[in-house]
């Protein structure tokens, strides 16, 4: 893409960013619950519970970061 972006292109990019962030948040929540479900719904001791929740936090954080990057990368490839 060369030159300044048109208003339509800027609007499309804004919508894509918002969509990517919203879906990233929802997917992060689903991933957290999926990985932490043994800790949330099981009868575990404190150490195992914290380990499951820590792993769930890591998976959700990475998933949240990857989703917008991937969506914007695909968006930029479509524009070429």
């Amino acid at each position: 893409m060369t030159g300044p972006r048109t208003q339509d292109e800027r609007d499309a990019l804004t919508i894509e960013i918002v969509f990517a962030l919203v879906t990233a948040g929802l997917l992060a929540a689903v991933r957290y619950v999926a990985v932490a479900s043994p800790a949330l719904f099981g009868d575990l001791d404190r150490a195992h519970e914290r380990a499951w929740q820590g792993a769930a936090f890591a998976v959700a954080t990475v998933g949240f970061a990857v989703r917008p990057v991937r969506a914007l990368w695909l968006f930029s490839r479509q524009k070429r």
Side-chain angles (χ1 to χ4, degrees):
M1 193 182 281
T2 60
R5 292 185 176 127
T6 65
Q7 185 63 41
D8 289 340
E9 291 171 334
R10 290 192 306 257
D11 290 345
L13 184 59
T14 300
I15 291 169
E16 191 69 25
I17 290 170
V18 170
F19 177 76
L21 290 173
V22 169
T23 57
L26 293 173
L27 289 172
V30 168
R31 286 180 178 116
Y32 181 86
V33 170
V35 175
S37 60
L40 297 173
F41 305 116
D43 188 23
L44 301 174
D45 60 28
R46 188 75 172 148
H48 286 103
E49 184 177 317
R50 290 187 59 149
W52 277 106
Q53 289 178 347
F57 181 77
V59 168
T61 301
V62 169
F64 181 83
V66 167
R67 172 67 181 134
V69 170
R70 184 174 180 269
L72 294 176
W73 181 71
L74 291 174
F75 182 78
S76 70
R77 290 199 56 177
Q78 289 176 350
K79 289 296 181 182
R80 290 188 206 170

